[in-house]
Amino acid sequence: MNRFDYIRPASVAEAVAAATQPGSAYLAGGTNLVDLMKGGALRPDCLVDISRLPGLDRIEWLADGGLRIGALVRNADLAHDALVQARFPAVSEALLSGASAQLRNVATLGGNLLQQTRCPYFYDTASACNRRAPGSGCDALQGENRSHAVLGWSDHCIATHPSDLCVPLVALDAVIEVQGPQGSRGIPLETLHPLPGDTPHLETMLSPGELITAVRIPAEAIAVAGHARYLKVRERTSFAFALVSAAAGLELDGGVIRKARLALGGVAARPWRARVAEAALEGGPATAEAFARAAEAALADARPSGDNAFKIELARRILIRALQEALAGTPEQRPALPASPFAPPSGARHVA
Amino acid sequence: MSLETPAPLTPYPRHGSNSGQPISRRDGELKVTGQATYAADNHPPGLLYAVTAVSSIARGRVAALDVAAAKAHPGVVEVITPANRPPLSHDPDVKLGMFGFRIEVLQDDKVRYANQPIALVLAESLEAAVEGAALLRPRYEVEPARTGLGNGDRYAPAAVGVGAPPRTAFGDLDAGFAAADQVIEAEFTTPAQFHNAMEPHAVVAQWDGDHLTLDMPNQALVMSREAYAAYFGVPGENVLIRSPFLGGGFGSKAILNGPQILAILAARHMRRPVKLVLSRAQMYGPVGHRGRTWQTLRLGVDGEGRLTAMHHHSLAATSSFEDFLEPAANASLHAYASPAILSQTEGLRLDIGTPGPMRAPGEASGSAALEVAMDEAALACGMDPLAFRLKNFAETEPGTGRPYSSNALRECYAEGAKAFGWAGRPLQPRQMRDKDGLLVGWGMGTALFPCPHFPAEARATLRADGTALVETAGVDMGQGAWTALAQIAAEALGLDPEQVEFRSGVSDLPDAGVAGGSGHTASAGLALHNAGQNVIARLAELAGADPASPLFGAGNIGVVAKGGRLHRRDDEGRSESYADILARTGQTELVGTGRMARDEEAVQAWAMYSHGAVFAEVKVDPDLGMVRATRLVGAFAAGRIINPKLVRSQYYGGMIWGVSFALQEAAIADPRTGRIMNADLAEYRIPVNADVPSLEAILVPEDDRYVNPLGVKGVGEIGITGTVGAIANAVWHATGVRVRRFPIQIEDLLGGG
């Protein structure tokens, strides 16, 4: 392994100061970064270990009813928090559909937001990758790309953001809190990951040294708690990223949709909020036709970036399914196979 | 021997009751408590860590390596490249024996596939060695990689698999097709798959003068010992391989590979012990895999649903420098009754690591295609798939007409179908839904695997206290050899397994042959059985000649060994304990030996296979194309079952691998570079527990008096063979979509909705 510095700051301010230096990287759970370092895709000069910073591991309910989740809260702790489960069931379900039980016990919220794409050409240092090595090209474009982006991609990069958690979070208007050399600020999660354009190496809107300290979910988002699902199409029942996924939340007034919250995962370099589809639904009836129209609208701009045309149709269908399931109501018990389109085997209580 | 002359019925003696008992793995506690020592757990003093630098191109040559940068890294002590590689005593470009493959050991600067070792870095720590390898920053002269049908070189091979003919024909194929009312033709592809044993390939090599000790997972201890000895120019007995436990082998640890040779060479060169452990990614290249196939099946059927001709052609990928070809087409040779059968294999040279045998080589990928084609033929005939198979049941071995030594396949079909609830299955697809609206499909496949035996030897020693020591260089790669072989030995000795010390897993013990071909229990077991009988016979001789023994004069009548005593066969009340016999005759111990031996006339006269039938249920989401295998029932007949608990576990493992083959597993190589883009267990998908359906393995009784004196057939590989096709057929039955490319993927099923 190459030699690098490792420091463990005592405060957020110290951490920010250290990480502002070029070549440094924050280390929390390490479930993604350490793999990338082992494979040589990332070679930071300095690891700033924030995993022991005080005060960042709390799940707090704010006075206005919103939720504030510290950046160091572990995936498993967040997923199994009873109130989170009751008020933001899709968040809990998305978390439990990700990675494995062991990884969820280690991985943190902030790390989940900042995890790298799983595009194999990003990991393979012998391949050209504009995201890893600016200007080197994109070997995925003519390569093995059946799982790549169908929305928002460019000829410079067709990678997807792999997070499950981020999908319901953007649907729920989550805002991230960051602290940086210039102080603190809030950034809507929806805008955290820029689309690749011709600068895919600019992976987030964060400035050098800026540290995610928390994620807030506004109180209004609780209104869809009774009609919320996260569904994930994947090729293995556990320990597999989404080919496509969808979060859907509905606020219903009789048969009429008052508010819709929709987002897609696995389709773009960011968790993809489907606002056009939301607008198409809001104020109208919650019918199969309306769902189909919304799905058409959500994928209207989609185009294949390679051997992945099927993902466009698949994304439409998972969105329709998520809407159907949301309409049917959030399950009283968390499904035996979280986020799985397969109905839970009767009586089985299984967290994959 | 002609078929008119019945082979002699040999009344093999059966006594004792250790065999057949579902004893738990004797090494289970060691494993679950972390006390079992695997190769890489060894840390001799003075150890150096070796790491291979591997090629990122598939074809060309290494033009430059920054050896200076690597050697300048703290902790790095040496870098071995083609420029300074010490000599070997055997030319690595020349095959060595039956299982010998040409290997890549820095003999030149050529790159033949991605992930080929191009240098070996030795360092005081693993971290330093890894970084040293990274610092080499190779510069290549790249040639275009041959990665597929479009640019690979087709050739006519001399052999397929391990020495099988590339073309085998029975009967008149043209006449068979001419007699057919319909011909069903279908093309199939199977991907490159990697063994992915949980334990990576590893070696800890220590030289003491010209004596070499190797801690390494190894499926063929004595054979490998001789091969390593040849590479290093020392006598075979100077090489000691210790392999008490393997974390899986699946065929990939039976054949010598380049990286381990390099580590051994480095240990001699540096005069220090050297450890090499391949990373997961490094296992995708130099240590074998199941090669890709492109298969075409043509089946002729007459108006009554009888096969009139079978033609199975396979194009199989291999490396540019070796010849192992997946013998997929041969899976059709002995499966069903057909007056004409032709199996043909062509080779395709690609810039890939050499493929090799992987659990059920040929049978797994070949039967995947055959069983789907049979399903298609059944439909074309308007017949139930099981009825169609029964209509084409092979009463004798297809092609040769030899009778089966035993064949309970009909019972497997019947018991499997009954347990599964096959009766009443609609012939047409998309007929069944569950209460949630998921499409439900049922499919089946026939499982078949031959019964190869390997030469094996064993030694049995009766000790003064009446207990015994039995020894053979057996291999436990998880299948349970520590337990099943000890059961066989204990039975032959008339002792309880607790009274038998079983030594195995070291190459200085009698040769137990290869743990492969599903033949280890039969082969090593026979040797142990014979060694046990041999020492008991010697003991009986002692007792029979001793006037003070109650067994005096029992010579012609014979004795029975059980419970640690010899009993007169005609009067079991007259007996004497082993300890007493030994004590009175002044022996501190008594040694017997045995080897794998079969009635060669019987071997020629009878066709010998394990058989089975697998029934699968899948559910498919009609909109999303997601498939879930929900039920698998396999009924298998494999002669005498030594340990039903272990055997059931083997069947489960094979069936789970079938799920993996059908729905998940594939190595994805970039067609431009030949680099495998999913060389890790996150993206190379094998099933997790939640993907594994409800499993039932039925052990159909079968008494085989000819296969060998134990009546034991093989169980290690048959489970995968019927399962792949059964699942693919169930997917068709659920959806109406016939997918002939493995693994079946979502996009294949998304069409209709």
Side-chain angles (χ1 to χ4, degrees):
Chain A
M1 191 177 290
N2 67 317
R3 305 216 159 190
F4 56 85
D5 290 329
Y6 169 90
I7 59 171
R8 194 190 293 161
S11 67
V12 168
E14 272 182 47
V16 168
T20 306
Q21 302 305 312
S24 58
Y26 285 122
L27 173 74
T31 57
N32 188 207
L33 179 61
V34 174
D35 273 357
L36 286 159
M37 289 173 66
K38 281 190 198 164
L42 294 183
R43 292 172 75 95
D45 299 320
C46 177
L47 287 186
V48 181
D49 182 356
I50 57 166
S51 64
R52 291 171 174 83
L53 283 184
L56 298 185
D57 61 349
R58 287 201 287 266
I59 300 172
E60 304 166 82
W61 293 93
L62 305 174
D64 67 357
L67 175 65
R68 185 176 185 280
I69 315 158
L72 291 179
V73 171
R74 310 278 166 184
N75 284 357
D77 291 330
L78 183 58
H80 292 292
D81 183 284
L83 268 184
V84 170
Q85 216 173 301
R87 293 175 184 171
F88 304 113
V91 169
S92 175
E93 190 168 14
L95 278 165
L96 291 176
S97 75
S100 65
Q102 293 85 348
L103 286 168
R104 293 194 294 267
N105 286 338
V106 176
T108 64
L109 173 68
N112 188 297
L113 271 48
L114 296 179
Q115 68 184 296
Q116 283 291 351
T117 179
R118 260 62 181 186
C119 173
Y121 296 92
F122 180 87
Y123 285 73
D124 175 32
T125 55
S127 290
C129 174
N130 289 321
R131 184 172 285 263
R132 172 171 38 76
S136 61
C138 172
D139 273 347
L141 204 52
Q142 304 296 327
E144 288 294 333
N145 50 23
R146 69 180 274 276
S147 63
H148 284 69
V150 293
L151 282 165
W153 56 272
S154 75
D155 285 346
H156 299 274
C157 181
I158 61 172
T160 62
H161 193 262
S163 170
D164 291 300
L165 170 64
C166 286
V167 181
L169 283 183
V170 295
L172 298 174
D173 287 316
V175 173
I176 62 170
E177 295 178 6
V178 302
Q179 291 223 10
Q182 318 302 328
S184 61
R185 62 175 178 142
I187 307 174
L189 176 60
E190 194 182 342
T191 64
L192 176 65
H193 305 93
L195 292 176
D198 54 7
T199 54
H201 60 286
L202 302 179
E203 295 174 311
T204 72
M205 300 301 284
L206 298 176
S207 306
E210 276 193 319
L211 174 69
I212 297 178
T213 52
V215 173
R216 284 198 314 267
I217 308 178
E220 304 86 81
I222 299 174
V224 298
H227 294 276
R229 281 307 298 273
Y230 175 72
L231 288 183
K232 174 175 179 180
V233 175
R234 55 171 155 183
E235 298 176 291
R236 171 161 66 186
T237 308
S238 175
F239 199 56
F241 292 97
L243 207 46
V244 297
S245 68
L250 296 174
E251 208 181 315
L252 295 164
D253 186 359
V256 174
I257 298 170
R258 189 186 301 146
K259 170 82 183 161
R261 294 179 175 276
L262 299 175
L264 291 165
V267 293
R270 62 161 55 147
W272 191 267
R273 181 82 181 260
R275 290 191 184 275
V276 190
E278 292 175 359
L281 286 170
E282 287 172 1
T287 60
E289 296 73 30
F291 292 167
R293 275 199 309 275
E296 283 300 322
L299 277 302
D301 295 333
R303 60 198 172 99
S305 59
D307 301 325
N308 57 358
F310 75 98
K311 282 186 64 172
I312 299 172
E313 181 59 24
L314 195 58
R316 284 191 195 104
R317 294 185 189 181
I318 195 68
L319 191 57
I320 292 170
R321 180 68 61 81
L323 281 164
Q324 289 167 342
E325 299 267 322
L327 176 63
T330 307
E332 276 185 33
Q333 269 195 351
R334 191 165 52 211
L337 296 171
S340 173
F342 286 104
S346 47
R349 306 195 60 177
H350 184 125
V351 174
Chain B
M1 164 183 280
S2 76
L3 291 173
E4 284 71 43
T5 318
L9 272 176
T10 323
Y12 296 121
R14 298 278 167 87
H15 42 70
S17 60
N18 293 309
S19 292
Q21 299 305 308
I23 299 171
S24 292
R25 282 177 173 76
R26 302 173 101 194
D27 49 335
E29 191 176 325
L30 283 181
K31 287 182 176 172
V32 299
T33 56
Q35 296 175 79
T37 304
Y38 290 81
D41 294 332
N42 291 286
H43 297 89
L47 187 66
L48 277 176
Y49 293 83
V51 166
T52 54
V54 299
S55 163
S56 62
I57 67 164
R59 187 184 181 197
R61 60 177 286 269
V62 179
L65 290 168
D66 195 346
V67 173
K71 288 184 91 163
H73 187 74
V76 172
V77 298
E78 183 57 289
V79 177
I80 298 178
T81 72
N84 67 343
R85 194 210 70 182
L88 288 165
S89 298
H90 177 78
D91 181 350
D93 291 320
V94 174
K95 282 174 170 297
L96 183 67
M98 183 178 178
F99 290 100
F101 279 45
R102 299 180 187 98
I103 56 173
E104 313 78 61
V105 280
L106 305 177
Q107 59 264 50
D108 52 42
D109 61 8
K110 275 192 207 143
V111 176
R112 301 154 159 189
Y113 58 91
N115 272 342
Q116 176 192 311
I118 55 172
L120 187 77
V121 178
L122 296 152
E124 300 289 349
S125 71
L126 176 61
E127 290 78 5
V130 168
E131 184 62 12
L135 289 169
L136 287 171
R137 300 194 204 291
R139 199 162 54 72
Y140 300 102
E141 282 170 15
V142 187
E143 290 178 62
R146 293 162 294 188
T147 59
L149 282 180
N151 51 14
D153 299 327
R154 288 172 88 127
Y155 74 105
V160 300
V162 185
R167 183 182 190 280
T168 304
F170 302 128
D172 184 336
L173 198 72
D174 291 339
F177 280 118
D181 284 300
Q182 311 182 64
V183 176
I184 292 86
E185 180 163 347
E187 293 182 12
F188 300 88
T189 61
T190 63
Q193 299 174 343
F194 284 78
H195 304 78
N196 271 312
M198 184 109 74
E199 179 201 23
H201 293 71
V203 63
V204 176
Q206 304 180 65
W207 286 93
D208 180 5
D210 61 354
H211 284 72
L212 172 64
T213 302
L214 300 173
D215 291 295
M216 69 187 324
N218 192 297
Q219 287 178 245
L221 290 166
V222 175
M223 191 179 77
S224 300
R225 177 185 77 174
E226 299 300 326
Y228 285 116
Y231 270 100
F232 292 97
V234 298
E237 60 268 23
N238 285 20
V239 179
L240 181 69
I241 302 179
R242 298 186 292 208
S243 186
F245 308 107
L246 290 82
F250 313 120
S252 74
K253 290 169 180 167
I255 289 163
L256 263 61
N257 315 122
Q260 294 93 319
I261 297 266
L262 288 174
I264 298 165
L265 188 61
R268 188 164 69 177
H269 182 62
M270 304 299 297
R271 300 173 186 276
R272 288 173 66 175
V274 167
K275 179 195 287 198
L276 173 79
V277 181
L278 295 190
S279 70
R280 181 63 53 184
Q282 289 173 344
M283 292 165 70
Y284 287 68
V287 295
H289 69 281
R290 192 196 304 284
R292 293 168 75 183
T293 68
W294 295 260
Q295 303 178 50
T296 305
L297 260 295
R298 282 198 303 149
L299 303 178
V301 286
D302 69 14
E304 291 173 2
R306 274 193 207 89
L307 289 165
T308 62
M310 302 172 73
H311 180 194
H312 194 158
H313 178 274
S314 179
L315 176 65
T318 191
S319 66
S320 63
F321 55 94
E322 247 303 340
D323 302 312
F324 186 91
L325 295 173
E326 177 82 357
N330 291 355
S332 289
L333 283 175
H334 303 300
Y336 297 103
S338 171
I341 303 174
L342 173 62
S343 107
Q344 282 175 301
T345 303
E346 274 186 273
L348 182 70
R349 294 209 178 278
L350 301 176
D351 296 309
I352 56 173
T354 303
M358 177 161 146
R359 201 175 189 183
E363 281 82 3
S365 36
S367 80
L370 171 63
E371 292 303 317
V372 173
M374 287 293 286
D375 207 59
E376 300 190 46
L379 183 76
C381 296
M383 292 177 72
D384 173 80
L386 175 54
F388 180 69
R389 284 169 175 82
L390 286 167
K391 186 89 174 181
N392 292 288
F393 187 86
E395 301 289 351
T396 57
E397 186 183 44
T400 71
R402 291 190 299 179
Y404 291 104
S405 62
S406 62
N407 183 354
L409 179 56
R410 279 185 202 284
E411 290 75 15
C412 293
Y413 284 139
E415 291 198 32
K418 184 168 169 233
F420 183 85
W422 180 261
R425 170 190 174 277
L427 281 191
Q428 296 300 319
R430 283 185 92 91
Q431 302 299 303
M432 302 194 295
R433 298 236 182 188
D434 74 0
K435 62 178 173 36
D436 300 309
L438 297 172
L439 297 164
V440 179
W442 292 353
M444 66 155 301
T446 303
L448 188 71
F449 202 84
C451 299
H453 286 59
F454 300 100
E457 299 168 3
R459 184 164 55 230
T461 306
L462 280 178
R463 293 159 161 165
D465 63 358
T467 66
L469 166 68
V470 293
E471 298 165 293
T472 193
V475 173
D476 196 323
M477 45 190 176
Q479 86 278 32
W482 278 115
T483 310
L485 293 180
Q487 283 177 265
I488 292 171
E491 175 171 295
L493 289 164
L495 292 169
D496 286 332
E498 295 73 43
Q499 297 170 291
V500 176
E501 182 189 344
F502 178 38
R503 285 191 195 149
S504 178
V506 190
S507 67
D508 60 354
L509 298 174
D511 184 3
V514 185
S518 300
H520 196 44
T521 305
S523 304
L526 268 177
L528 287 162
H529 172 83
N530 289 338
Q533 290 210 324
N534 179 245
V535 74
I536 290 296
R538 297 190 58 193
L539 187 69
E541 224 170 274
L542 286 178
D546 179 359
S549 168
L551 301 169
F552 179 65
N556 290 331
I557 296 149
V559 295
V560 174
K562 59 182 183 185
R565 304 177 73 82
L566 293 184
H567 304 256
R568 270 181 75 110
R569 192 178 293 281
D570 61 342
D571 178 4
E572 295 205 6
R574 291 166 67 184
S575 70
E576 190 171 25
S577 76
Y578 303 166
D580 288 348
I581 299 169
L582 289 172
R584 194 149 27 67
T585 53
Q587 309 281 331
T588 53
E589 62 173 38
L590 199 58
V591 180
T593 59
R595 51 178 62 233
M596 193 287 292
R598 296 200 289 168
D599 177 341
E600 279 310 314
E601 283 196 1
V603 171
Q604 295 307 316
W606 303 88
M608 299 169 179
Y609 297 89
S610 298
H611 290 93
V614 180
F615 297 82
E617 177 186 85
V618 303
K619 293 188 177 181
V620 182
D621 188 297
D623 303 319
L624 303 172
M626 292 174 77
V627 179
R628 219 169 136 71
T630 47
R631 280 199 299 142
L632 277 180
V633 175
F636 302 95
R640 186 180 181 208
I641 298 304
I642 298 299
N643 183 324
K645 190 174 194 171
L646 296 173
V647 165
R648 191 166 276 115
S649 191
Q650 284 282 61
Y651 292 151
Y652 287 160
M655 289 158 76
I656 291 168
W657 206 325
V659 174
S660 189
F661 192 126
L663 301 176
Q664 296 189 320
E665 247 181 282
I668 309 296
D670 186 294
R672 300 161 299 181
T673 64
R675 277 199 300 283
I676 293 166
M677 302 309 294
N678 62 340
D680 60 72
L681 288 179
E683 303 300 331
Y684 181 98
R685 290 193 306 277
I686 56 171
V688 296
N689 274 323
D691 294 308
V692 175
S694 155
L695 293 173
E696 183 176 354
I698 299 167
L699 278 50
V700 174
E702 195 178 62
D703 184 15
D704 194 316
R705 309 185 68 184
Y706 305 108
V707 65
N708 56 48
L710 289 174
V712 169
K713 296 180 179 175
V715 299
E717 293 165 275
I718 189 171
I720 187 173
T721 62
T723 308
V724 184
I727 290 172
N729 294 335
V731 168
W732 168 80
H733 192 238
T735 63
V737 181
R738 185 70 76 179
V739 184
R740 302 182 186 88
R741 177 188 70 179
F742 292 103
I744 297 169
Q745 305 203 97
I746 282 174
E747 56 264 47
D748 300 323
L749 304 175
L750 207 52

